Amino acid sequence: MESREKKVLHIAMFPWLAYGHLMPFLEVSKFLAQKGHRISFISTPKNIHRLSTSSSSSLSPLIKFVELPMPAVDGLPQSAESTSDLPIHKVQYLKKAYDKLELPLTHFLQHLDDVNWIVQDFASHWLPRVATRLGIKSVSFYIVNATTMAFFGPPSELRSGQRQRPEDFTVVPKWIDFPDFDVAFKLHEMVTHWDCMEDEVSDFERIAAAIEGCDFVATRTCPEFDADSLSLIQKLYGKPVVPLGLLPPVLQDDQSEDDKWKLLREWLDAKKEKSVVYIALGTEVTLSQEWMHELAHGIEISGLSFIWVLGNRQLTEAPDIIPPGFETRVGDRGLIWRGWAPQLRVLAHSSIGGFLTHCGWSSVIEALGLGRVLILFSGASSDQGLIARLMHNRRVGLEIPRDDRDGSFSKDTVAEFMRRVMVDKEGEQLRANAWAMKEIFGNVNLNNKYLDEFTRLLETWPALTS
């Protein structure tokens, strides 16, 4: 009876302009569409094109992409529509342009008088006000885990709390009283993040407004991993906080092989089980040439086999990013891969034992979903430093030590920590802990249960909360 009476919803999705945000929003959209709900996925043309071409075979006809032209802003390159198109100090101009989407988005929502919900990101501080005026219910979906959200605190603290300088974020906040909680930023990480904040509206003000103005909050985590932090943020926010699960990616059982994967697979097939370190710093992290060379020398003297993926942006910004003679010296035990790589497929190969990662949440989820132990090297952007500390404390990897103030590190430390994680006796427990995490991070049924509960909440609101 209940299923026959269920109302088909029209849900608008409006993510922040970063691929690491667009993809989780799209995954949630796919799930909602599977349940029969209509989706309007709203972004700018370049982002829509990238998503639609990469996902066209798996998209429901119930998902409609809606393009809003990218507004022009002084300081923002004409071709830039996402964070991947920009150095970090220019992301502030992307936020200014994003704010200018308020008027065209409002016009779109007014034109469609049947939108029931809008799912928004952290940056659109103005959207709850628009949604309320139009009679549309709203969800603030944060693509981070609940521990990150707990660290930043309640909206009152975000707006006008005691933390006004980067230094203030290098200690555990007073409202977190969990035993052995040692998650905070390094100074160099917060200084880097300060560079990408927009002058008129800080990221903290954006998050506060989105939390205060929405009907409820959703976060990319699950109680099996994040129970204490989930309970805490519900108290801090004074409204429902719903876990969406970890949105683990599913490796498609595709018999066809493109040339890139064929080359990678053949190289991996020749290596021993769990002997190779996969190294990838994400699409947006760029280190100086000096630091990249130091990292390379550490990888070299570790003596371990590795695949090191260098993104197009890293190669463009520093053509001499790899030390002279490096590839010759490492020989067949190391493979430098230039450009995009099928990360999930590589991580799933039996030869991969560990992952040297920039600590992006999506990458960590992929690795632990396959039981790969982590060598943590924070990309110093967004919440990556907090994730590095959290995973180090959970004993599913070790963080490579870096200077708190400037982020510097040594090749000897890189080599030492790679070996400790991958082959030393000390790393046995880390490797076992990471392997056990598959039961949470790779459990599609478990994580879909939370998406089911989220969907049911949208369908029955406010009945389940009244």
Side-chain angles (χ1 to χ4, degrees):
M1 177 70 74
E2 184 181 334
S3 62
R4 268 182 265 147
E5 294 178 354
K6 186 185 77 175
K7 179 183 178 183
V8 173
L9 301 173
H10 185 180
I11 303 162
M13 310 289 287
F14 188 61
W16 165 236
L17 305 175
Y19 199 63
H21 290 243
L22 291 157
M23 285 307 298
F25 270 71
L26 185 60
E27 289 306 308
V28 174
S29 299
K30 289 178 184 178
F31 190 89
L32 292 168
Q34 287 175 2
K35 299 297 182 180
H37 300 300
R38 293 166 50 217
I39 307 296
S40 289
F41 194 100
I42 307 163
S43 192
T44 60
K46 193 172 175 182
N47 291 314
I48 292 295
H49 176 73
R50 184 178 182 185
L51 288 178
S52 59
T53 53
S54 64
S55 308
S56 57
S57 61
S58 58
L59 286 182
S60 163
L62 290 173
I63 299 175
K64 178 185 177 184
F65 286 118
V66 179
E67 296 183 6
L68 299 181
M70 190 70 185
V73 166
D74 288 343
L76 184 69
Q78 194 170 6
S79 62
E81 294 190 14
S82 74
T83 54
S84 62
D85 300 326
L86 296 164
I88 194 165
H89 67 275
K90 289 200 170 185
V91 171
Q92 58 177 306
Y93 303 116
L94 191 68
K95 288 170 183 167
K96 290 179 185 291
Y98 190 71
D99 288 344
K100 285 192 169 188
L101 291 171
E102 177 179 355
L103 191 57
L105 178 61
T106 302
H107 286 327
F108 170 76
L109 294 172
Q110 285 174 326
H111 177 69
L112 295 174
D113 60 2
D114 65 341
V115 177
N116 305 103
W117 286 93
I118 187 157
V119 181
Q120 67 167 68
D121 214 324
F122 82 96
S124 47
H125 60 101
W126 39 267
L127 188 47
R129 180 180 68 249
V130 171
T132 299
R133 191 170 76 243
L134 299 177
I136 300 170
K137 297 180 285 291
S138 65
V139 182
S140 286
F141 171 31
Y142 294 92
I143 63 151
V144 299
N145 59 59
T147 298
T148 291
M149 297 171 73
F151 179 86
F152 284 109
S156 58
E157 170 64 33
L158 288 161
R159 284 192 183 280
S160 55
Q162 300 300 308
R163 299 185 295 183
Q164 298 297 319
R165 307 169 303 148
E167 290 84 354
D168 300 332
F169 292 83
T170 62
V171 294
V172 176
K174 60 188 177 185
W175 52 84
I176 296 180
D177 58 359
F178 311 149
D180 303 319
F181 187 92
D182 188 23
V183 174
F185 284 103
K186 306 290 187 186
L187 181 59
H188 73 94
E189 294 165 341
M190 279 311 289
V191 168
T192 299
H193 187 76
W194 233 253
D195 287 343
C196 80
M197 284 207 286
E198 200 253 311
D199 293 337
E200 294 178 17
V201 188
S202 75
D203 286 0
F204 310 126
E205 292 174 280
R206 291 173 185 275
I207 295 168
I211 291 170
E212 289 173 333
C214 70
D215 288 279
F216 69 91
V217 175
T219 174
R220 188 182 182 183
T221 195
C222 65
E224 287 76 7
F225 176 75
D226 234 357
D228 290 341
S229 293
L230 274 167
S231 298
L232 175 60
I233 58 176
Q234 185 140 314
K235 294 174 187 171
L236 295 176
Y237 297 168
K239 63 177 55 181
V241 177
V242 178
L244 262 64
L246 295 157
L247 307 179
V250 178
L251 191 62
Q252 299 298 322
D253 187 20
D254 187 355
Q255 299 303 312
S256 65
E257 286 193 353
D258 59 30
D259 292 339
K260 288 185 176 182
W261 171 238
K262 186 177 180 182
L263 286 169
L264 284 164
R265 182 182 55 76
E266 288 174 353
W267 189 91
L268 285 165
D269 284 347
K271 305 302 176 191
K272 293 180 181 177
E273 185 175 352
K274 295 185 180 178
S275 66
V276 179
V277 182
Y278 176 69
I279 303 166
L281 300 182
T283 56
E284 298 179 20
V285 173
T286 53
L287 300 180
S288 67
Q289 181 173 299
E290 177 188 0
W291 281 6
M292 285 295 283
H293 283 198
E294 193 72 11
L295 182 61
H297 291 313
I299 293 166
E300 181 181 346
I301 64 178
S302 75
L304 297 169
S305 296
F306 65 89
I307 289 179
W308 189 358
V309 176
L310 297 174
N312 292 324
R313 177 167 167 176
Q314 294 160 330
L315 294 165
T316 301
E317 294 188 8
D320 300 322
I321 203 164
I322 295 298
F326 174 81
E327 291 179 82
T328 301
R329 291 193 301 274
V330 299
D332 189 49
R333 74 175 173 86
L335 176 64
I336 297 289
W337 187 263
R338 293 168 172 83
W340 180 84
Q343 179 163 294
L344 194 62
R345 277 185 153 183
V346 175
L347 285 170
H349 195 282
S350 60
S351 294
I352 298 294
F355 183 11
L356 195 161
T357 173
H358 67 301
C359 306
W361 189 222
S362 290
S363 288
V364 167
I365 289 169
E366 288 184 13
L368 291 179
L370 293 161
R372 305 309 182 209
V373 69
L374 303 172
I375 304 160
L376 302 155
F377 186 83
S378 162
S381 176
S382 183
D383 62 334
Q384 291 161 11
L386 298 181
I387 292 169
R389 257 100 289 156
L390 178 61
M391 295 302 157
H392 182 97
N393 292 348
R394 293 291 181 94
R395 303 288 294 163
V396 292
L398 291 179
E399 182 178 5
I400 295 173
R402 299 175 67 178
D403 184 272
D404 287 3
R405 299 192 69 81
D406 65 14
S408 59
F409 57 94
S410 75
K411 62 181 183 293
D412 293 324
T413 305
V414 171
E416 176 194 346
F417 274 69
M418 288 179 68
R419 293 194 60 81
R420 284 171 66 180
V421 169
M422 288 291 293
V423 294
D424 289 355
K425 186 171 181 59
E426 174 195 354
E428 287 180 2
Q429 190 59 55
L430 301 175
R431 297 189 288 272
N433 292 345
W435 188 255
M437 278 290 179
K438 288 199 309 178
E439 297 305 313
I440 297 173
F441 281 74
N443 189 330
V444 174
N445 290 334
L446 169 69
N447 285 284
N448 280 353
K449 179 183 78 169
Y450 296 108
L451 281 172
D452 269 325
E453 291 173 3
F454 170 71
T455 306
R456 194 155 53 248
L457 186 56
L458 296 178
E459 291 167 352
T460 58
W461 186 274
L464 291 182
T465 58
S466 58

